[in-house]
Amino acid sequence: MSDIASRVKAIIVDKLGVDENEVVTEASFTNDLGADSLDTVELIMEFEKEFDIQIPDDQAENISTVGQAVSYIEEAKK
Amino acid sequence: MELKRVVVTGLGALTPIGNNISEYWEALKTGKSGAAPITYFDTTLFKTKFACEIKNFNANDHFDRKEVRRLDRFAQYALVASDEAILDSGVDLDVVDKYRIGVIWGAGIGGLETFQNEVIDFAKGDGTPRFNPFFIPKMIADIAPGNISIKHGFMGPNYATVSACASSANAMIDALNYIRLGYSDIMVTGGSEAAVTQAGMGGFNSMHALSTRNDDPQKASRPFDANRDGFVLGEGGGALILEEYEHAKARGAKIYAEVIGGGMSSDAYHMTAPHPEGTGVIAVMKNCLENSGLKPEDVDTINTHGTSTPLGDVAELKAIKNVFGDHAKNININSTKSMTGHLLGAAGAVEAIASILAMQNNLVPPTINHETADENIDPELNLTLNKPQERNIKVAMSNTFGFGGHNACVAFKKLDE
């Protein structure tokens, strides 16, 4: 697993209080990991802080799974 | 229309002297102080370095990690205390009509620590407003009753009362009236507060409201003593299940007491100072007697607001003498704040619970830490000093007054069958 992926995973485990094994690439924050609308906003903010990036709201709307978050951040950090 | 009768069928408490009802009562009757040096933050630069914190409370024992992060301490206390009360009431949540169950909850401030920490983080940054999305919903005072209803599915009336230190007494009175008027069968009521934070301690210190007896915290809360020097900040929660009498009877509920009335008034005088003649406090006790259908001589005990401040304690006792006349000296007057400290918005609830437990046990908890008589206090008044007193209690009253001049008084009666 890439460094970005493992850091993303750690944030999700911490913020959503879920088990590490559940945080798989296809997992949806809301449908699989129990996040509500506020959790999702918080996750995006944590990603911004951790990776020192800005994720505009219209882009954030497209990040709803673990895999999508990792890809977005990898792209942003290139 | 005829008002319905209302009884108390469940109690819950999370206090600085006991983390549930039985521990709380044990501590009340033995005269235990909840004061100790503050553990939550470094008090080096603070004028007052002690408070009545909740002890041995680990949020993770009650909530999962995600819940802990989205609940300010005041909301955690609300959920823990109300859970105990709901369980104690024996209400079967699978069979009751949840549209007929409401929650009215008092908090004088709400999520002060959440507010403080979010603003500190913001001030440390570059001015970009990166507030946590949970900031507002964690902080607002009404999130406590909101969370109680979410947890249990209670779909009746739901809101918070905010009247500083009278908040949970106002909550109880509103809850009483909703049932009296037939709007609800059951109300979860009470209050919680968690203001032992830098902002809370610093703010109250600036008002010269807090005791600074740093060399002896356990003796600091000394209502009615000549050398009292301010209140001791406390925290926690108290919950009561109020229920329509016939509803309680029909399900064979255990009944602690009848809630027979409540009084409310305002000083209309000063933001924080009590009225020197106690006119608002006189009015609130008279209102309570009238609302409860009581004569002054019916009252056996008064759990005073009695915060251990120089002005407030004397004004309250003067008002009691004014309202009760000669009977005042027959009343067991006490202040449980001598033990618990001042729980602000939760005070009305935990003190009403103390009054109900006193009635049940026919024992009035003491006003501890009294050493020197205050010459401004009539020595004929029975202030239940230092030792509990046995008494067959039929009617108990509980006073609370809040900054802003809010006064609220609630009356309880042993149930007549």
Side-chain angles (χ1 to χ4, degrees):
Chain A
M1 199 192 311
S2 72
D3 167 59
I4 286 177
S6 63
R7 283 156 71 191
V8 164
K9 196 168 168 178
I11 288 172
I12 294 169
V13 167
D14 177 47
K15 296 297 170 192
L16 300 184
V18 288
D19 197 84
E20 236 183 274
N21 303 327
E22 296 174 68
V23 190
V24 292
T25 307
E26 315 77 52
S28 151
F29 300 144
T30 49
N31 297 333
D32 302 316
L33 302 176
D36 62 20
S37 57
L38 296 175
D39 290 317
T40 313
V41 176
E42 194 184 29
L43 280 180
I44 297 293
M45 288 177 63
E46 287 300 316
F47 297 150
E48 290 180 327
K49 202 160 88 183
E50 173 74 16
F51 298 102
D52 195 22
I53 55 174
Q54 294 292 324
I55 307 177
D57 286 353
D58 58 338
Q59 307 277 316
E61 281 168 20
N62 301 323
I63 303 175
S64 59
T65 67
V66 178
Q68 285 165 355
V70 174
S71 315
Y72 183 92
I73 296 162
E74 282 174 345
E75 193 60 31
K77 294 301 281 183
K78 263 185 190 160
Chain B
M1 90 184 255
E2 199 180 327
L3 295 178
K4 299 194 184 293
R5 291 174 71 185
V6 179
V7 293
V8 180
T9 56
L11 298 175
L14 177 58
T15 77
I17 58 173
N19 290 6
N20 54 52
I21 287 293
S22 68
E23 283 180 25
Y24 180 44
W25 175 246
E26 216 34 56
L28 283 172
K29 68 181 188 192
T30 51
K32 181 175 158 187
S33 166
I38 288 171
T39 63
Y40 294 151
F41 58 90
D42 177 6
T43 58
T44 308
L45 299 174
F46 284 72
K47 244 183 355 187
T48 297
K49 303 174 194 303
F50 61 94
C52 289
E53 293 178 347
I54 298 288
K55 282 99 184 154
N56 306 316
F57 177 79
N58 184 353
N60 298 309
D61 295 343
H62 303 275
F63 308 101
D64 69 35
R65 209 155 48 108
K66 187 171 156 185
E67 287 172 319
V68 171
R69 290 185 42 253
R70 45 170 74 202
L71 295 169
D72 185 273
R73 290 210 317 271
F74 96 101
Q76 295 175 9
Y77 299 164
L79 284 164
V80 171
S82 59
D83 274 359
E84 185 187 6
I86 292 163
L87 188 68
D88 181 46
S89 74
V91 174
D92 184 347
L93 296 180
D94 292 330
V95 302
V96 286
D97 178 358
K98 291 187 178 179
Y99 286 93
R100 302 279 302 167
I101 305 182
V103 187
I104 301 179
W105 196 261
I109 303 175
L112 184 60
E113 184 173 45
T114 297
F115 186 90
Q116 169 196 289
N117 291 346
E118 285 289 329
V119 173
I120 288 173
D121 280 349
F122 172 63
K124 278 183 186 156
D126 62 3
T128 311
R130 299 175 56 84
F131 289 95
N132 187 288
F134 293 104
F135 169 29
I136 300 293
K138 256 176 92 173
M139 173 197 70
I140 51 182
D142 55 288
I143 208 67
N147 274 312
I148 294 169
S149 71
I150 291 164
K151 176 159 185 180
H152 301 285
F154 300 146
M155 293 176 73
N158 189 294
Y159 60 88
T161 50
V162 180
S163 50
C165 311
S167 299
S168 53
N170 277 116
M172 290 186 288
I173 295 169
D174 283 11
L176 162 69
N177 286 331
Y178 275 72
I179 301 174
R180 272 175 160 176
L181 293 168
Y183 296 155
S184 302
D185 297 326
I186 294 176
M187 295 296 293
V188 180
T189 187
S192 59
E193 202 81 80
V196 183
T197 65
Q198 290 101 315
M201 291 300 294
F204 284 115
N205 258 161
S206 296
M207 296 172 63
H208 298 275
L210 298 178
S211 167
T212 54
R213 198 178 294 271
N214 291 313
D215 58 346
D216 199 357
Q218 300 225 323
K219 298 261 188 208
S221 187
R222 46 173 66 213
F224 318 126
D225 182 90
N227 299 312
R228 65 191 182 276
D229 72 330
F231 73 81
V232 177
L233 191 58
E235 60 166 0
L240 301 91
I241 306 302
L242 303 194
E243 187 165 354
E244 194 270 317
Y245 177 52
E246 296 299 332
H247 190 274
K249 229 169 46 170
R251 67 178 184 88
K254 158 186 82 219
I255 293 173
Y256 285 96
E258 181 168 0
V259 197
I260 51 173
M264 295 176 276
S265 77
S266 175
D267 278 2
Y269 171 68
H270 186 268
M271 284 169 71
T272 58
H275 192 290
E277 305 305 321
T279 46
V281 174
I282 290 166
V284 81
M285 285 187 276
K286 284 187 172 167
N287 289 346
C288 186
L289 291 173
E290 191 190 336
N291 191 257
S292 309
L294 291 171
K295 296 188 291 292
E297 54 271 29
D298 295 331
V299 175
D300 297 302
T301 64
I302 300 177
N303 194 348
T304 58
H305 187 56
T307 58
S308 186
T309 54
L311 295 177
D313 290 6
V314 170
E316 184 175 7
L317 294 179
K318 271 191 195 157
I320 288 174
K321 281 182 65 177
N322 181 299
V323 173
F324 293 90
D326 277 351
H327 179 65
K329 63 178 188 295
N330 302 325
I331 299 174
N332 265 101
I333 297 168
N334 73 338
S335 167
T336 47
K337 287 191 184 78
S338 61
M339 297 174 267
T340 60
H342 190 349
L343 274 67
L344 305 181
V350 297
E351 288 162 27
I353 291 168
S355 297
I356 292 165
L357 294 172
M359 181 178 281
Q360 246 212 334
N361 290 278
N362 287 316
L363 188 75
V364 186
T367 306
I368 66 166
N369 291 329
H370 192 273
E371 291 170 352
T372 313
D374 179 338
E375 59 182 21
N376 300 307
I377 292 174
D378 182 345
E380 283 207 313
L381 294 175
N382 178 2
L383 304 174
T384 322
L385 298 175
N386 299 324
K387 286 200 178 91
Q389 291 178 18
E390 285 183 20
R391 170 135 190 176
N392 182 12
I393 305 167
K394 289 206 181 66
V395 172
M397 274 174 47
S398 181
N399 279 339
T400 45
F401 318 132
F403 287 154
H406 321 287
N407 307 306
C409 177
V410 191
F412 300 93
K413 192 174 178 212
K414 227 172 235 165
L415 191 71
D416 295 325
E417 290 304 330

